[in-house]
Amino acid sequence: MTRKNYTLTKSVYVRSLQCERAMYLDIYHPKLAHYSPETLQRFRHGRAFERSFKDTFPDAIDLNFHLGMNICRYPALTASLLQQEGPVEIFEAGFIHDDVLILADVVRKNLDGTITIFEVKSSYNITDTLLNDVAIQYYVITHALPRIAHESLFSKPLRIKRFNLLCADCDYGFRSHDVTEQARRLAADIPQRLQHLKEVLRGPEPDIAPDTSDYGRCNTPYACPYQAHCLRHPSPAQKPAPSDL
């Protein structure tokens, strides 16, 4: 088994924007999570939408097919594919930067070395949560590409050309939105945010009281799976957290 070489993932980062205590539990106590039947159904719907979306890229290389749950190997295989001559399309392309791992739904390397990214969501609307999702991807990929290009056998630089957010439409298809500029603007604040999150993870469980009102942090934008834990322990014990981050 390849040693884990990252601290945060895209989903954990997005979780932190809702509640840093939930992020902490995602890292150290994920078994405490409890998902409602409604949430599980939303997950199933999202996966079904993603499967239908894959038909749009019949020649794309699916890293999940080749590597399964061996997530730590995704960035190396992604880099190897991007370093080859010619265009390529990759499902679940992996990138690591600043201790953050992201898996992009589709990454397309164009003939000129530019990169087009596609993120598919079963949402009908572009929300702040979706934009923060693409922003962390933009930040990580932007910083990972120069390193990949430096190790490549060809001279063309690798750079992001466009970031497309694909949202569901009423016909179970998708609508494409160019969110490159929004992602770039939001990514500017991410380094400082990541530094803060790493400090949070070095300490004890954050002392954040639950707010389970309809529009409280426990339910907005999504129902948090750690509500039962936080309600049982409204003020977490101040025990030292693992120090290997």
Side-chain angles (χ1 to χ4, degrees), residues 189-204:
D189 296 327
I190 287 179
Q192 183 177 358
R193 174 70 180 166
L194 290 176
Q195 182 179 358
H196 166 70
L197 294 179
K198 292 173 189 176
E199 292 173 357
V200 170
L201 291 172
R202 292 188 186 99

mmCIF file of all heavy atoms in Angstrom, residues 189-204:
data_model
loop_
_atom_site.group_PDB
_atom_site.id
_atom_site.type_symbol
_atom_site.label_atom_id
_atom_site.label_comp_id
_atom_site.label_asym_id
_atom_site.label_seq_id
_atom_site.Cartn_x
_atom_site.Cartn_y
_atom_site.Cartn_z
ATOM 1 N N ASP A 189 -7.051 33.358 -2.253
ATOM 2 C CA ASP A 189 -7.087 33.314 -0.787
ATOM 3 C C ASP A 189 -6.814 31.924 -0.222
ATOM 4 O O ASP A 189 -6.776 31.750 1.000
ATOM 5 C CB ASP A 189 -8.466 33.789 -0.290
ATOM 6 C CG ASP A 189 -8.734 35.241 -0.645
ATOM 7 O OD1 ASP A 189 -7.761 36.033 -0.674
ATOM 8 O OD2 ASP A 189 -9.905 35.585 -0.898
ATOM 9 N N ILE A 190 -6.644 30.943 -1.081
ATOM 10 C CA ILE A 190 -6.530 29.567 -0.606
ATOM 11 C C ILE A 190 -5.240 29.287 0.164
ATOM 12 O O ILE A 190 -5.280 28.588 1.187
ATOM 13 C CB ILE A 190 -6.726 28.583 -1.771
ATOM 14 C CG1 ILE A 190 -8.211 28.565 -2.165
ATOM 15 C CG2 ILE A 190 -6.256 27.172 -1.397
ATOM 16 C CD1 ILE A 190 -8.548 27.654 -3.319
ATOM 17 N N PRO A 191 -4.066 29.790 -0.226
ATOM 18 C CA PRO A 191 -2.852 29.483 0.551
ATOM 19 C C PRO A 191 -2.968 29.867 2.021
ATOM 20 O O PRO A 191 -2.599 29.075 2.904
ATOM 21 C CB PRO A 191 -1.769 30.301 -0.155
ATOM 22 C CG PRO A 191 -2.258 30.443 -1.551
ATOM 23 C CD PRO A 191 -3.746 30.568 -1.446
ATOM 24 N N GLN A 192 -3.497 31.049 2.297
ATOM 25 C CA GLN A 192 -3.666 31.468 3.689
ATOM 26 C C GLN A 192 -4.684 30.580 4.392
ATOM 27 O O GLN A 192 -4.506 30.208 5.566
ATOM 28 C CB GLN A 192 -4.108 32.920 3.735
ATOM 29 C CG GLN A 192 -4.252 33.489 5.141
ATOM 30 C CD GLN A 192 -4.618 34.959 5.127
ATOM 31 O OE1 GLN A 192 -4.739 35.576 4.076
ATOM 32 N NE2 GLN A 192 -4.796 35.532 6.315
ATOM 33 N N ARG A 193 -5.738 30.228 3.692
ATOM 34 C CA ARG A 193 -6.762 29.354 4.266
ATOM 35 C C ARG A 193 -6.182 27.982 4.613
ATOM 36 O O ARG A 193 -6.446 27.433 5.692
ATOM 37 C CB ARG A 193 -7.911 29.205 3.257
ATOM 38 C CG ARG A 193 -8.999 28.210 3.638
ATOM 39 C CD ARG A 193 -9.814 28.695 4.793
ATOM 40 N NE ARG A 193 -10.847 27.727 5.151
ATOM 41 C CZ ARG A 193 -11.527 27.768 6.287
ATOM 42 N NH1 ARG A 193 -11.310 28.733 7.165
ATOM 43 N NH2 ARG A 193 -12.433 26.861 6.562
ATOM 44 N N LEU A 194 -5.370 27.428 3.732
ATOM 45 C CA LEU A 194 -4.780 26.122 3.989
ATOM 46 C C LEU A 194 -3.825 26.157 5.175
ATOM 47 O O LEU A 194 -3.785 25.216 5.975
ATOM 48 C CB LEU A 194 -4.049 25.622 2.743
ATOM 49 C CG LEU A 194 -4.924 25.221 1.554
ATOM 50 C CD1 LEU A 194 -4.057 24.832 0.371
ATOM 51 C CD2 LEU A 194 -5.861 24.074 1.929
ATOM 52 N N GLN A 195 -3.065 27.213 5.302
ATOM 53 C CA GLN A 195 -2.171 27.342 6.454
ATOM 54 C C GLN A 195 -2.968 27.316 7.754
ATOM 55 O O GLN A 195 -2.589 26.650 8.726
ATOM 56 C CB GLN A 195 -1.367 28.638 6.349
ATOM 57 C CG GLN A 195 -0.373 28.833 7.489
ATOM 58 C CD GLN A 195 0.428 30.112 7.344
ATOM 59 O OE1 GLN A 195 0.279 30.845 6.361
ATOM 60 N NE2 GLN A 195 1.268 30.400 8.308
ATOM 61 N N HIS A 196 -4.092 28.020 7.762
ATOM 62 C CA HIS A 196 -4.942 28.022 8.951
ATOM 63 C C HIS A 196 -5.505 26.631 9.238
ATOM 64 O O HIS A 196 -5.493 26.174 10.394
ATOM 65 C CB HIS A 196 -6.089 29.012 8.747
ATOM 66 C CG HIS A 196 -7.197 28.869 9.749
ATOM 67 N ND1 HIS A 196 -7.065 29.218 11.079
ATOM 68 C CD2 HIS A 196 -8.461 28.369 9.611
ATOM 69 C CE1 HIS A 196 -8.190 28.967 11.709
ATOM 70 N NE2 HIS A 196 -9.051 28.442 10.855
ATOM 71 N N LEU A 197 -5.967 25.934 8.198
ATOM 72 C CA LEU A 197 -6.564 24.609 8.406
ATOM 73 C C LEU A 197 -5.547 23.611 8.944
ATOM 74 O O LEU A 197 -5.871 22.778 9.799
ATOM 75 C CB LEU A 197 -7.167 24.098 7.098
ATOM 76 C CG LEU A 197 -8.357 24.883 6.555
ATOM 77 C CD1 LEU A 197 -8.834 24.287 5.238
ATOM 78 C CD2 LEU A 197 -9.504 24.938 7.563
ATOM 79 N N LYS A 198 -4.309 23.699 8.479
ATOM 80 C CA LYS A 198 -3.276 22.796 8.983
ATOM 81 C C LYS A 198 -2.989 23.061 10.456
ATOM 82 O O LYS A 198 -2.726 22.124 11.220
ATOM 83 C CB LYS A 198 -2.006 22.945 8.146
ATOM 84 C CG LYS A 198 -2.160 22.430 6.722
ATOM 85 C CD LYS A 198 -0.946 22.758 5.885
ATOM 86 C CE LYS A 198 -1.177 22.457 4.429
ATOM 87 N NZ LYS A 198 -0.032 22.855 3.575
ATOM 88 N N GLU A 199 -3.063 24.307 10.854
ATOM 89 C CA GLU A 199 -2.897 24.631 12.269
ATOM 90 C C GLU A 199 -4.052 24.071 13.095
ATOM 91 O O GLU A 199 -3.855 23.553 14.203
ATOM 92 C CB GLU A 199 -2.803 26.149 12.449
ATOM 93 C CG GLU A 199 -1.532 26.750 11.877
ATOM 94 C CD GLU A 199 -1.535 28.266 11.910
ATOM 95 O OE1 GLU A 199 -2.566 28.848 12.325
ATOM 96 O OE2 GLU A 199 -0.518 28.870 11.520
ATOM 97 N N VAL A 200 -5.256 24.156 12.554
ATOM 98 C CA VAL A 200 -6.423 23.581 13.238
ATOM 99 C C VAL A 200 -6.228 22.083 13.425
ATOM 100 O O VAL A 200 -6.508 21.523 14.496
ATOM 101 C CB VAL A 200 -7.712 23.866 12.441
ATOM 102 C CG1 VAL A 200 -8.892 23.077 13.014
ATOM 103 C CG2 VAL A 200 -8.026 25.349 12.441
ATOM 104 N N LEU A 201 -5.720 21.405 12.406
ATOM 105 C CA LEU A 201 -5.562 19.956 12.470
ATOM 106 C C LEU A 201 -4.439 19.529 13.406
ATOM 107 O O LEU A 201 -4.392 18.368 13.821
ATOM 108 C CB LEU A 201 -5.310 19.402 11.063
ATOM 109 C CG LEU A 201 -6.513 19.473 10.118
ATOM 110 C CD1 LEU A 201 -6.102 19.086 8.709
ATOM 111 C CD2 LEU A 201 -7.648 18.592 10.611
ATOM 112 N N ARG A 202 -3.546 20.425 13.759
ATOM 113 C CA ARG A 202 -2.474 20.090 14.710
ATOM 114 C C ARG A 202 -2.950 20.189 16.152
ATOM 115 O O ARG A 202 -2.274 19.714 17.058
ATOM 116 C CB ARG A 202 -1.281 21.025 14.501
ATOM 117 C CG ARG A 202 -0.547 20.826 13.188
ATOM 118 C CD ARG A 202 0.737 21.644 13.132
ATOM 119 N NE ARG A 202 1.353 21.555 11.813
ATOM 120 C CZ ARG A 202 1.249 22.464 10.852
ATOM 121 N NH1 ARG A 202 0.549 23.563 11.095
ATOM 122 N NH2 ARG A 202 1.830 22.294 9.688
ATOM 123 N N GLY A 203 -4.085 20.802 16.375
ATOM 124 C CA GLY A 203 -4.576 21.011 17.726
ATOM 125 C C GLY A 203 -5.653 20.016 18.104
ATOM 126 O O GLY A 203 -5.877 19.013 17.419
ATOM 127 N N PRO A 204 -6.342 20.301 19.198
ATOM 128 C CA PRO A 204 -7.449 19.443 19.614
ATOM 129 C C PRO A 204 -8.678 19.672 18.747
ATOM 130 O O PRO A 204 -8.698 20.585 17.910
ATOM 131 C CB PRO A 204 -7.712 19.898 21.056
ATOM 132 C CG PRO A 204 -7.294 21.342 21.057
ATOM 133 C CD PRO A 204 -6.115 21.426 20.128
#
